[in-house]
Amino acid sequence: MLRWGSPGRRWALAWGDGGFRQRRGSPTGSASNRVRGQSSGAQQLLDTAQKPRKGKHEWAALVGLEIHAQISSNSKLFSGSQVRFAAPPNSLVSFFDASLPGTLPVLNRRCVEAAVMTGLALNCHINKKSLFDRKHYFYADLPAGYQITQQRLPIAVNGSLTYSICTGKKQSQMITKTVRIKQIQLEQDSGKSLHDDLRSQTLIDLNRAGVGLLEVVLEPDMSCGEEAATAVRELQLILQALGTSQANMAEGQLRVDANISVHHPGEPWGIRTEVKNLNSIKFLAKAIDYEIQRQIDELENGGEILNETRSFDYKLGCTMPMRDKEGKQDYRFMPEPNLPPLLLYDATSLPAGTDSQQVINIDQIRERLPELPRVTRERLIQQYGMLPEHGFALLRMRGQGPRLLSLKDINYLLHSASDKLDKRQTFELMYNEPRLPGCFFAQNCDFREESASI
Amino acid sequence: MWARAVWLGLRAPLGGRRGLTSTTDPQGSGRITVEVIEHLERLALVDFGSREAVARLEKAVAFADRLRAVDTDGVEPMESVLEDRCLYLRSDNVVEGNCAEELLQNSHRVVEEYFVAPPGNISLPKLDEQEPFPHS
């Protein structure tokens, strides 16, 4: 079975060796399609690479994502050192994080709750028993030589993420798409490497080593950069609404790796490449579209795609093979011997007379789930009668973090509101809706006074 | 994939009996090839420096192969000897850290409170670049 996102994927790949996989559905492409459009078709594809593909019978692209979100917690996943973005190097490191002999992992309750909350919000099945494993590889920022992760039995599986793409002439038509979530697992983050090429050395800061990560694996249900970017944005909003992660890509709290392959519709899936080092949503979309086009060009010129890892050079706008990555990685997964299975309970299975600090009740967490962005949008549209695209815009602005509204923002809000609302309703929206940009602004100063001067 | 089968034989069996018997030697007299040694040396950074070490490895694999004599059909594999224990959940408080000075003492080289490491992984020399290895 094609395993897109599991950590054992590297050696499981056998595409080039003849391991085929037929895609279901009637094949529309035939042998003649491959030959057609060598020059003009390729040029056409190049021109429309950025737009959603319509009528491109020759090639279909598959994009899967592996998203690592840093859990918003006070302390790390397996140790009691602090989680903080900027701090003096190696000051937030405990003996366990530095992998000194004799130290043992102790699981942070808040991280488990965050994983369960995220799984529930993404419609996943929560595994009442999940296991921890060791993934071995050597790198200077991984002092133990292995990362504790959940490869065999992750905490949540089989979910879905729904997002909406704007299409149509005025970008006013919303199409809803869904991407399946293969699994969500808890794992450790590694430290940071600062490469000093001048002196041929690497400086290691272990502050980030051991911080809890949620790895969310999205199946290859997306077909272009825009879909991937929109899905990631929606996931960001969800994580921020839940409070499980601040999901700020610029600060490295959200990292995305893309798995990309192309094939002719109806034929077996192509060889995939992995693209890393994507540190903004804009570059994510660019890199994916570039890589899709590169693979198409390569195959149409009779070349072949290597199963490799590439990184995105945002200055040149292209992907390059990463050095220091050997062909096949064998991670030698083994069960983490220092951690028993993680058991979760619900209202029916809760054992009597146990310390509430030591048990996690899935139903309790489900009850505490805050309103999800999708629901908020719907409610705003219904309650205030605003147009769907304005609902999206408002939540996108909220997702960019609390900030003072600019004059442009206020104008936009007033104009969008005035499509259907009167001034009174607009102010109601601003003051009453928690955590909307307008409310933040209003709490800091008198909105009416400010708007009088516009 | 004989080399992989031998390697898998060394690890604790994770899922009961795997269908590997077709590729491994049931007598257990498997010779370990040079490719396997090279692969193991890269993965685990051990040094099989002598013929004796390789022989010891072959004996270890043969010893572990005796596990296959046990019929584990229909038996749930044990994930952990700790499976009957409760996984302790720690509350999310900051209780450690702030010992950069102590930790940096462990490092051979330090630059401004950073550990110093070589740039990237240093690959092991390929087998033909090493000294000739007394292996048949």
Side-chain angles (χ1 to χ4, degrees), chain A residues 74-76 79-80 90-91 107-109 138 200-202 204 332-333 358, chain B residues 11 43 82 88-90 92 95-96 98 100 109 113 115 117 119 121:
Chain A
N74 298 327
S75 57
K76 295 184 180 176
S79 69
N90 292 307
S91 61
L107 185 56
N108 181 338
R109 185 199 161 84
F138 290 111
S200 201
Q201 63 189 14
T202 302
I204 306 291
R332 295 180 297 151
F333 286 96
Q358 285 305 310
Chain B
R11 292 165 42 182
L43 286 182
L82 304 169
Y88 178 77
L89 295 170
R90 182 178 54 86
D92 189 26
V95 295
E96 296 174 284
N98 267 317
R109 281 174 58 209
E113 296 185 322
F115 294 98
N121 283 341

PDB file of all heavy atoms in Angstrom, chain A residues 74-76 79-80 90-91 107-109 138 200-202 204 332-333 358, chain B residues 11 43 82 88-90 92 95-96 98 100 109 113 115 117 119 121:
ATOM      1  N   ASN A  74       3.890  24.712  28.309  1.00  0.00           N
ATOM      2  CA  ASN A  74       4.907  25.385  29.105  1.00  0.00           C
ATOM      3  C   ASN A  74       6.223  24.626  29.067  1.00  0.00           C
ATOM      4  O   ASN A  74       7.292  25.219  28.989  1.00  0.00           O
ATOM      5  CB  ASN A  74       4.455  25.493  30.571  1.00  0.00           C
ATOM      6  CG  ASN A  74       3.204  26.313  30.705  1.00  0.00           C
ATOM      7  OD1 ASN A  74       2.995  27.245  29.941  1.00  0.00           O
ATOM      8  ND2 ASN A  74       2.364  25.965  31.655  1.00  0.00           N
ATOM      9  N   SER A  75       6.104  23.289  29.140  1.00  0.00           N
ATOM     10  CA  SER A  75       7.313  22.478  29.195  1.00  0.00           C
ATOM     11  C   SER A  75       7.320  21.491  28.027  1.00  0.00           C
ATOM     12  O   SER A  75       6.344  21.358  27.298  1.00  0.00           O
ATOM     13  CB  SER A  75       7.407  21.746  30.527  1.00  0.00           C
ATOM     14  OG  SER A  75       6.263  20.946  30.733  1.00  0.00           O
ATOM     15  N   LYS A  76       8.432  20.787  27.920  1.00  0.00           N
ATOM     16  CA  LYS A  76       8.633  19.942  26.732  1.00  0.00           C
ATOM     17  C   LYS A  76       7.891  18.622  26.853  1.00  0.00           C
ATOM     18  O   LYS A  76       7.268  18.310  27.876  1.00  0.00           O
ATOM     19  CB  LYS A  76      10.136  19.698  26.548  1.00  0.00           C
ATOM     20  CG  LYS A  76      10.903  20.973  26.235  1.00  0.00           C
ATOM     21  CD  LYS A  76      12.371  20.691  25.951  1.00  0.00           C
ATOM     22  CE  LYS A  76      13.101  21.987  25.635  1.00  0.00           C
ATOM     23  NZ  LYS A  76      14.548  21.779  25.439  1.00  0.00           N
ATOM     24  N   SER A  79      10.269  16.219  29.135  1.00  0.00           N
ATOM     25  CA  SER A  79      11.071  16.751  30.226  1.00  0.00           C
ATOM     26  C   SER A  79      10.477  18.067  30.706  1.00  0.00           C
ATOM     27  O   SER A  79       9.622  18.658  30.052  1.00  0.00           O
ATOM     28  CB  SER A  79      12.516  16.971  29.779  1.00  0.00           C
ATOM     29  OG  SER A  79      12.580  18.029  28.855  1.00  0.00           O
ATOM     30  N   GLY A  80      10.962  18.518  31.852  1.00  0.00           N
ATOM     31  CA  GLY A  80      10.384  19.711  32.457  1.00  0.00           C
ATOM     32  C   GLY A  80      11.079  20.999  32.111  1.00  0.00           C
ATOM     33  O   GLY A  80      10.944  21.983  32.832  1.00  0.00           O
ATOM     34  N   ASN A  90      21.085  27.004  24.648  1.00  0.00           N
ATOM     35  CA  ASN A  90      21.238  25.890  25.582  1.00  0.00           C
ATOM     36  C   ASN A  90      20.840  26.219  27.017  1.00  0.00           C
ATOM     37  O   ASN A  90      21.252  25.534  27.955  1.00  0.00           O
ATOM     38  CB  ASN A  90      22.681  25.352  25.542  1.00  0.00           C
ATOM     39  CG  ASN A  90      22.973  24.687  24.213  1.00  0.00           C
ATOM     40  OD1 ASN A  90      22.243  23.809  23.776  1.00  0.00           O
ATOM     41  ND2 ASN A  90      24.021  25.126  23.542  1.00  0.00           N
ATOM     42  N   SER A  91      20.001  27.252  27.192  1.00  0.00           N
ATOM     43  CA  SER A  91      19.571  27.581  28.553  1.00  0.00           C
ATOM     44  C   SER A  91      18.265  26.882  28.911  1.00  0.00           C
ATOM     45  O   SER A  91      17.867  26.841  30.075  1.00  0.00           O
ATOM     46  CB  SER A  91      19.396  29.094  28.696  1.00  0.00           C
ATOM     47  OG  SER A  91      18.397  29.530  27.786  1.00  0.00           O
ATOM     48  N   LEU A 107       6.202  11.693  30.243  1.00  0.00           N
ATOM     49  CA  LEU A 107       5.250  12.285  29.297  1.00  0.00           C
ATOM     50  C   LEU A 107       4.481  13.451  29.909  1.00  0.00           C
ATOM     51  O   LEU A 107       3.992  13.396  31.030  1.00  0.00           O
ATOM     52  CB  LEU A 107       4.280  11.208  28.810  1.00  0.00           C
ATOM     53  CG  LEU A 107       3.263  11.588  27.730  1.00  0.00           C
ATOM     54  CD1 LEU A 107       3.945  12.150  26.501  1.00  0.00           C
ATOM     55  CD2 LEU A 107       2.445  10.361  27.355  1.00  0.00           C
ATOM     56  N   ASN A 108       4.370  14.525  29.141  1.00  0.00           N
ATOM     57  CA  ASN A 108       3.670  15.738  29.544  1.00  0.00           C
ATOM     58  C   ASN A 108       2.181  15.601  29.235  1.00  0.00           C
ATOM     59  O   ASN A 108       1.770  15.396  28.102  1.00  0.00           O
ATOM     60  CB  ASN A 108       4.283  16.915  28.761  1.00  0.00           C
ATOM     61  CG  ASN A 108       3.654  18.243  29.100  1.00  0.00           C
ATOM     62  OD1 ASN A 108       2.529  18.327  29.591  1.00  0.00           O
ATOM     63  ND2 ASN A 108       4.383  19.313  28.834  1.00  0.00           N
ATOM     64  N   ARG A 109       1.344  15.722  30.248  1.00  0.00           N
ATOM     65  CA  ARG A 109      -0.096  15.548  30.107  1.00  0.00           C
ATOM     66  C   ARG A 109      -0.713  16.537  29.126  1.00  0.00           C
ATOM     67  O   ARG A 109      -1.582  16.189  28.327  1.00  0.00           O
ATOM     68  CB  ARG A 109      -0.712  15.739  31.493  1.00  0.00           C
ATOM     69  CG  ARG A 109      -2.170  15.473  31.560  1.00  0.00           C
ATOM     70  CD  ARG A 109      -2.800  16.102  32.799  1.00  0.00           C
ATOM     71  NE  ARG A 109      -4.230  16.202  32.582  1.00  0.00           N
ATOM     72  CZ  ARG A 109      -5.076  15.194  32.806  1.00  0.00           C
ATOM     73  NH1 ARG A 109      -4.621  14.055  33.278  1.00  0.00           N
ATOM     74  NH2 ARG A 109      -6.359  15.339  32.556  1.00  0.00           N
ATOM     75  N   PHE A 138      21.475   9.604  12.690  1.00  0.00           N
ATOM     76  CA  PHE A 138      22.551  10.361  13.310  1.00  0.00           C
ATOM     77  C   PHE A 138      22.572  11.776  12.772  1.00  0.00           C
ATOM     78  O   PHE A 138      22.655  11.992  11.570  1.00  0.00           O
ATOM     79  CB  PHE A 138      23.903   9.701  13.026  1.00  0.00           C
ATOM     80  CG  PHE A 138      24.072   8.401  13.751  1.00  0.00           C
ATOM     81  CD1 PHE A 138      24.094   7.221  13.054  1.00  0.00           C
ATOM     82  CD2 PHE A 138      24.188   8.378  15.132  1.00  0.00           C
ATOM     83  CE1 PHE A 138      24.240   6.015  13.725  1.00  0.00           C
ATOM     84  CE2 PHE A 138      24.334   7.177  15.804  1.00  0.00           C
ATOM     85  CZ  PHE A 138      24.361   5.991  15.098  1.00  0.00           C
ATOM     86  N   SER A 200      33.864  25.889   8.761  1.00  0.00           N
ATOM     87  CA  SER A 200      33.582  24.470   8.550  1.00  0.00           C
ATOM     88  C   SER A 200      33.138  23.789   9.842  1.00  0.00           C
ATOM     89  O   SER A 200      33.711  22.787  10.265  1.00  0.00           O
ATOM     90  CB  SER A 200      34.838  23.778   8.001  1.00  0.00           C
ATOM     91  OG  SER A 200      34.492  22.590   7.355  1.00  0.00           O
ATOM     92  N   GLN A 201      32.135  24.354  10.482  1.00  0.00           N
ATOM     93  CA  GLN A 201      31.601  23.746  11.683  1.00  0.00           C
ATOM     94  C   GLN A 201      30.115  24.081  11.794  1.00  0.00           C
ATOM     95  O   GLN A 201      29.600  24.935  11.084  1.00  0.00           O
ATOM     96  CB  GLN A 201      32.346  24.264  12.921  1.00  0.00           C
ATOM     97  CG  GLN A 201      32.189  25.762  13.137  1.00  0.00           C
ATOM     98  CD  GLN A 201      33.112  26.302  14.231  1.00  0.00           C
ATOM     99  OE1 GLN A 201      34.050  25.630  14.665  1.00  0.00           O
ATOM    100  NE2 GLN A 201      32.844  27.511  14.693  1.00  0.00           N
ATOM    101  N   THR A 202      29.455  23.348  12.680  1.00  0.00           N
ATOM    102  CA  THR A 202      28.043  23.605  12.933  1.00  0.00           C
ATOM    103  C   THR A 202      27.860  23.888  14.409  1.00  0.00           C
ATOM    104  O   THR A 202      28.414  23.187  15.259  1.00  0.00           O
ATOM    105  CB  THR A 202      27.203  22.371  12.540  1.00  0.00           C
ATOM    106  OG1 THR A 202      27.416  22.074  11.166  1.00  0.00           O
ATOM    107  CG2 THR A 202      25.724  22.618  12.768  1.00  0.00           C
ATOM    108  N   ILE A 204      25.436  24.028  17.629  1.00  0.00           N
ATOM    109  CA  ILE A 204      24.203  23.344  18.024  1.00  0.00           C
ATOM    110  C   ILE A 204      23.583  24.016  19.242  1.00  0.00           C
ATOM    111  O   ILE A 204      24.252  24.218  20.256  1.00  0.00           O
ATOM    112  CB  ILE A 204      24.503  21.868  18.384  1.00  0.00           C
ATOM    113  CG1 ILE A 204      25.237  21.172  17.238  1.00  0.00           C
ATOM    114  CG2 ILE A 204      23.223  21.136  18.739  1.00  0.00           C
ATOM    115  CD1 ILE A 204      24.401  20.968  16.015  1.00  0.00           C
ATOM    116  N   ARG A 332      15.445   2.000  11.473  1.00  0.00           N
ATOM    117  CA  ARG A 332      15.526   0.963  12.510  1.00  0.00           C
ATOM    118  C   ARG A 332      14.541   1.235  13.642  1.00  0.00           C
ATOM    119  O   ARG A 332      14.918   1.336  14.806  1.00  0.00           O
ATOM    120  CB  ARG A 332      16.949   0.863  13.075  1.00  0.00           C
ATOM    121  CG  ARG A 332      17.963   0.402  12.044  1.00  0.00           C
ATOM    122  CD  ARG A 332      19.342   0.312  12.662  1.00  0.00           C
ATOM    123  NE  ARG A 332      19.827   1.607  13.111  1.00  0.00           N
ATOM    124  CZ  ARG A 332      20.664   1.779  14.126  1.00  0.00           C
ATOM    125  NH1 ARG A 332      21.088   0.746  14.793  1.00  0.00           N
ATOM    126  NH2 ARG A 332      21.054   2.977  14.468  1.00  0.00           N
ATOM    127  N   PHE A 333      13.266   1.348  13.330  1.00  0.00           N
ATOM    128  CA  PHE A 333      12.267   1.602  14.351  1.00  0.00           C
ATOM    129  C   PHE A 333      12.249   0.493  15.384  1.00  0.00           C
ATOM    130  O   PHE A 333      12.337  -0.688  15.058  1.00  0.00           O
ATOM    131  CB  PHE A 333      10.877   1.703  13.715  1.00  0.00           C
ATOM    132  CG  PHE A 333      10.668   2.985  12.982  1.00  0.00           C
ATOM    133  CD1 PHE A 333      10.864   3.044  11.616  1.00  0.00           C
ATOM    134  CD2 PHE A 333      10.295   4.134  13.657  1.00  0.00           C
ATOM    135  CE1 PHE A 333      10.680   4.239  10.926  1.00  0.00           C
ATOM    136  CE2 PHE A 333      10.111   5.326  12.978  1.00  0.00           C
ATOM    137  CZ  PHE A 333      10.307   5.373  11.617  1.00  0.00           C
ATOM    138  N   GLN A 358      -4.098  11.581  36.437  1.00  0.00           N
ATOM    139  CA  GLN A 358      -3.380  10.521  35.735  1.00  0.00           C
ATOM    140  C   GLN A 358      -4.185   9.894  34.613  1.00  0.00           C
ATOM    141  O   GLN A 358      -3.692   9.000  33.940  1.00  0.00           O
ATOM    142  CB  GLN A 358      -2.956   9.421  36.732  1.00  0.00           C
ATOM    143  CG  GLN A 358      -1.795   9.820  37.611  1.00  0.00           C
ATOM    144  CD  GLN A 358      -0.608  10.253  36.779  1.00  0.00           C
ATOM    145  OE1 GLN A 358      -0.201   9.565  35.860  1.00  0.00           O
ATOM    146  NE2 GLN A 358      -0.065  11.418  37.090  1.00  0.00           N
TER     147      GLN A 358
ATOM    148  N   ARG B  11      16.566  -8.004  15.301  1.00  0.00           N
ATOM    149  CA  ARG B  11      15.726  -7.143  16.111  1.00  0.00           C
ATOM    150  C   ARG B  11      14.663  -7.954  16.816  1.00  0.00           C
ATOM    151  O   ARG B  11      14.313  -9.035  16.396  1.00  0.00           O
ATOM    152  CB  ARG B  11      15.031  -6.115  15.225  1.00  0.00           C
ATOM    153  CG  ARG B  11      15.991  -5.129  14.649  1.00  0.00           C
ATOM    154  CD  ARG B  11      15.383  -4.364  13.505  1.00  0.00           C
ATOM    155  NE  ARG B  11      14.015  -3.979  13.778  1.00  0.00           N
ATOM    156  CZ  ARG B  11      13.267  -3.319  12.892  1.00  0.00           C
ATOM    157  NH1 ARG B  11      13.776  -3.001  11.734  1.00  0.00           N
ATOM    158  NH2 ARG B  11      12.040  -3.002  13.143  1.00  0.00           N
ATOM    159  N   LEU B  43      24.676   2.224   9.790  1.00  0.00           N
ATOM    160  CA  LEU B  43      23.473   2.488  10.574  1.00  0.00           C
ATOM    161  C   LEU B  43      23.789   2.645  12.046  1.00  0.00           C
ATOM    162  O   LEU B  43      23.222   3.481  12.722  1.00  0.00           O
ATOM    163  CB  LEU B  43      22.497   1.312  10.427  1.00  0.00           C
ATOM    164  CG  LEU B  43      21.751   1.174   9.119  1.00  0.00           C
ATOM    165  CD1 LEU B  43      20.830  -0.006   9.216  1.00  0.00           C
ATOM    166  CD2 LEU B  43      20.976   2.432   8.826  1.00  0.00           C
ATOM    167  N   LEU B  82       6.615  -3.275  30.008  1.00  0.00           N
ATOM    168  CA  LEU B  82       5.943  -2.373  30.928  1.00  0.00           C
ATOM    169  C   LEU B  82       4.440  -2.321  30.661  1.00  0.00           C
ATOM    170  O   LEU B  82       3.746  -1.448  31.150  1.00  0.00           O
ATOM    171  CB  LEU B  82       6.514  -0.948  30.767  1.00  0.00           C
ATOM    172  CG  LEU B  82       8.017  -0.801  30.949  1.00  0.00           C
ATOM    173  CD1 LEU B  82       8.449   0.587  30.497  1.00  0.00           C
ATOM    174  CD2 LEU B  82       8.404  -1.018  32.394  1.00  0.00           C
ATOM    175  N   TYR B  88       2.960   7.272  33.476  1.00  0.00           N
ATOM    176  CA  TYR B  88       2.796   8.427  34.352  1.00  0.00           C
ATOM    177  C   TYR B  88       2.711   9.705  33.527  1.00  0.00           C
ATOM    178  O   TYR B  88       3.523   9.931  32.638  1.00  0.00           O
ATOM    179  CB  TYR B  88       3.989   8.491  35.329  1.00  0.00           C
ATOM    180  CG  TYR B  88       3.938   9.676  36.248  1.00  0.00           C
ATOM    181  CD1 TYR B  88       3.072   9.692  37.345  1.00  0.00           C
ATOM    182  CD2 TYR B  88       4.741  10.791  36.013  1.00  0.00           C
ATOM    183  CE1 TYR B  88       3.014  10.789  38.175  1.00  0.00           C
ATOM    184  CE2 TYR B  88       4.685  11.893  36.851  1.00  0.00           C
ATOM    185  CZ  TYR B  88       3.814  11.882  37.931  1.00  0.00           C
ATOM    186  OH  TYR B  88       3.761  12.977  38.751  1.00  0.00           O
ATOM    187  N   LEU B  89       1.722  10.554  33.839  1.00  0.00           N
ATOM    188  CA  LEU B  89       1.549  11.824  33.130  1.00  0.00           C
ATOM    189  C   LEU B  89       1.999  12.957  34.035  1.00  0.00           C
ATOM    190  O   LEU B  89       1.483  13.142  35.126  1.00  0.00           O
ATOM    191  CB  LEU B  89       0.082  12.022  32.741  1.00  0.00           C
ATOM    192  CG  LEU B  89      -0.465  11.020  31.725  1.00  0.00           C
ATOM    193  CD1 LEU B  89      -1.970  11.166  31.600  1.00  0.00           C
ATOM    194  CD2 LEU B  89       0.190  11.222  30.375  1.00  0.00           C
ATOM    195  N   ARG B  90       2.948  13.715  33.526  1.00  0.00           N
ATOM    196  CA  ARG B  90       3.504  14.820  34.305  1.00  0.00           C
ATOM    197  C   ARG B  90       2.700  16.080  34.024  1.00  0.00           C
ATOM    198  O   ARG B  90       2.266  16.310  32.885  1.00  0.00           O
ATOM    199  CB  ARG B  90       4.961  14.988  33.847  1.00  0.00           C
ATOM    200  CG  ARG B  90       5.772  16.022  34.530  1.00  0.00           C
ATOM    201  CD  ARG B  90       7.207  15.988  33.963  1.00  0.00           C
ATOM    202  NE  ARG B  90       7.202  16.111  32.517  1.00  0.00           N
ATOM    203  CZ  ARG B  90       7.186  17.271  31.863  1.00  0.00           C
ATOM    204  NH1 ARG B  90       7.164  18.400  32.540  1.00  0.00           N
ATOM    205  NH2 ARG B  90       7.190  17.289  30.547  1.00  0.00           N
ATOM    206  N   ASP B  92       2.143  20.059  33.344  1.00  0.00           N
ATOM    207  CA  ASP B  92       2.888  20.920  32.426  1.00  0.00           C
ATOM    208  C   ASP B  92       3.537  22.090  33.158  1.00  0.00           C
ATOM    209  O   ASP B  92       3.195  23.246  32.954  1.00  0.00           O
ATOM    210  CB  ASP B  92       1.912  21.422  31.347  1.00  0.00           C
ATOM    211  CG  ASP B  92       2.620  22.154  30.225  1.00  0.00           C
ATOM    212  OD1 ASP B  92       3.809  21.877  29.993  1.00  0.00           O
ATOM    213  OD2 ASP B  92       1.973  23.021  29.600  1.00  0.00           O
ATOM    214  N   VAL B  95      10.270  22.792  35.417  1.00  0.00           N
ATOM    215  CA  VAL B  95      11.029  22.466  36.632  1.00  0.00           C
ATOM    216  C   VAL B  95      12.500  22.218  36.340  1.00  0.00           C
ATOM    217  O   VAL B  95      13.283  21.967  37.250  1.00  0.00           O
ATOM    218  CB  VAL B  95      10.445  21.219  37.347  1.00  0.00           C
ATOM    219  CG1 VAL B  95       9.050  21.499  37.860  1.00  0.00           C
ATOM    220  CG2 VAL B  95      10.453  20.029  36.420  1.00  0.00           C
ATOM    221  N   GLU B  96      12.893  22.243  35.072  1.00  0.00           N
ATOM    222  CA  GLU B  96      14.287  21.952  34.731  1.00  0.00           C
ATOM    223  C   GLU B  96      14.816  22.979  33.750  1.00  0.00           C
ATOM    224  O   GLU B  96      14.082  23.809  33.231  1.00  0.00           O
ATOM    225  CB  GLU B  96      14.378  20.562  34.076  1.00  0.00           C
ATOM    226  CG  GLU B  96      13.981  19.407  34.963  1.00  0.00           C
ATOM    227  CD  GLU B  96      13.958  18.107  34.185  1.00  0.00           C
ATOM    228  OE1 GLU B  96      13.009  17.878  33.416  1.00  0.00           O
ATOM    229  OE2 GLU B  96      14.919  17.336  34.336  1.00  0.00           O
ATOM    230  N   ASN B  98      18.111  25.736  32.541  1.00  0.00           N
ATOM    231  CA  ASN B  98      19.015  26.734  33.137  1.00  0.00           C
ATOM    232  C   ASN B  98      20.318  26.143  33.642  1.00  0.00           C
ATOM    233  O   ASN B  98      20.808  26.550  34.697  1.00  0.00           O
ATOM    234  CB  ASN B  98      18.320  27.454  34.306  1.00  0.00           C
ATOM    235  CG  ASN B  98      17.648  28.708  33.817  1.00  0.00           C
ATOM    236  OD1 ASN B  98      18.228  29.445  33.024  1.00  0.00           O
ATOM    237  ND2 ASN B  98      16.444  28.941  34.259  1.00  0.00           N
ATOM    238  N   ALA B 100      23.062  25.605  31.373  1.00  0.00           N
ATOM    239  CA  ALA B 100      23.878  25.616  30.155  1.00  0.00           C
ATOM    240  C   ALA B 100      25.349  25.387  30.467  1.00  0.00           C
ATOM    241  O   ALA B 100      26.030  24.609  29.807  1.00  0.00           O
ATOM    242  CB  ALA B 100      23.681  26.940  29.415  1.00  0.00           C
ATOM    243  N   ARG B 109      34.407  21.092  22.198  1.00  0.00           N
ATOM    244  CA  ARG B 109      34.580  22.472  21.753  1.00  0.00           C
ATOM    245  C   ARG B 109      33.285  23.241  21.928  1.00  0.00           C
ATOM    246  O   ARG B 109      32.214  22.727  21.655  1.00  0.00           O
ATOM    247  CB  ARG B 109      35.019  22.519  20.287  1.00  0.00           C
ATOM    248  CG  ARG B 109      36.491  22.224  20.100  1.00  0.00           C
ATOM    249  CD  ARG B 109      36.825  22.144  18.626  1.00  0.00           C
ATOM    250  NE  ARG B 109      36.473  23.374  17.938  1.00  0.00           N
ATOM    251  CZ  ARG B 109      36.125  23.447  16.659  1.00  0.00           C
ATOM    252  NH1 ARG B 109      36.066  22.377  15.940  1.00  0.00           N
ATOM    253  NH2 ARG B 109      35.817  24.606  16.104  1.00  0.00           N
ATOM    254  N   GLU B 113      28.566  29.483  24.024  1.00  0.00           N
ATOM    255  CA  GLU B 113      27.442  28.724  24.572  1.00  0.00           C
ATOM    256  C   GLU B 113      26.744  27.817  23.552  1.00  0.00           C
ATOM    257  O   GLU B 113      25.640  27.341  23.801  1.00  0.00           O
ATOM    258  CB  GLU B 113      26.391  29.656  25.188  1.00  0.00           C
ATOM    259  CG  GLU B 113      26.947  30.415  26.381  1.00  0.00           C
ATOM    260  CD  GLU B 113      25.881  31.234  27.070  1.00  0.00           C
ATOM    261  OE1 GLU B 113      25.013  31.816  26.371  1.00  0.00           O
ATOM    262  OE2 GLU B 113      25.894  31.290  28.303  1.00  0.00           O
ATOM    263  N   PHE B 115      27.195  24.215  21.313  1.00  0.00           N
ATOM    264  CA  PHE B 115      28.025  23.043  21.094  1.00  0.00           C
ATOM    265  C   PHE B 115      28.580  23.141  19.680  1.00  0.00           C
ATOM    266  O   PHE B 115      27.887  23.587  18.772  1.00  0.00           O
ATOM    267  CB  PHE B 115      27.196  21.752  21.199  1.00  0.00           C
ATOM    268  CG  PHE B 115      26.642  21.485  22.565  1.00  0.00           C
ATOM    269  CD1 PHE B 115      25.335  21.816  22.881  1.00  0.00           C
ATOM    270  CD2 PHE B 115      27.426  20.895  23.552  1.00  0.00           C
ATOM    271  CE1 PHE B 115      24.813  21.573  24.132  1.00  0.00           C
ATOM    272  CE2 PHE B 115      26.918  20.648  24.814  1.00  0.00           C
ATOM    273  CZ  PHE B 115      25.610  20.992  25.108  1.00  0.00           C
ATOM    274  N   ALA B 117      29.915  21.193  16.367  1.00  0.00           N
ATOM    275  CA  ALA B 117      29.879  19.901  15.692  1.00  0.00           C
ATOM    276  C   ALA B 117      30.461  20.074  14.293  1.00  0.00           C
ATOM    277  O   ALA B 117      30.468  21.185  13.764  1.00  0.00           O
ATOM    278  CB  ALA B 117      28.439  19.395  15.605  1.00  0.00           C
ATOM    279  N   PRO B 119      30.513  20.027  10.216  1.00  0.00           N
ATOM    280  CA  PRO B 119      29.417  20.449   9.339  1.00  0.00           C
ATOM    281  C   PRO B 119      28.739  19.244   8.689  1.00  0.00           C
ATOM    282  O   PRO B 119      29.274  18.652   7.786  1.00  0.00           O
ATOM    283  CB  PRO B 119      30.124  21.304   8.289  1.00  0.00           C
ATOM    284  CG  PRO B 119      31.523  20.816   8.274  1.00  0.00           C
ATOM    285  CD  PRO B 119      31.827  20.297   9.640  1.00  0.00           C
ATOM    286  N   ASN B 121      26.959  15.301   8.468  1.00  0.00           N
ATOM    287  CA  ASN B 121      27.492  14.000   8.809  1.00  0.00           C
ATOM    288  C   ASN B 121      28.725  13.688   7.988  1.00  0.00           C
ATOM    289  O   ASN B 121      28.792  13.996   6.803  1.00  0.00           O
ATOM    290  CB  ASN B 121      26.436  12.920   8.560  1.00  0.00           C
ATOM    291  CG  ASN B 121      25.389  12.918   9.667  1.00  0.00           C
ATOM    292  OD1 ASN B 121      25.614  13.431  10.738  1.00  0.00           O
ATOM    293  ND2 ASN B 121      24.242  12.329   9.379  1.00  0.00           N
TER     294      ASN B 121
END
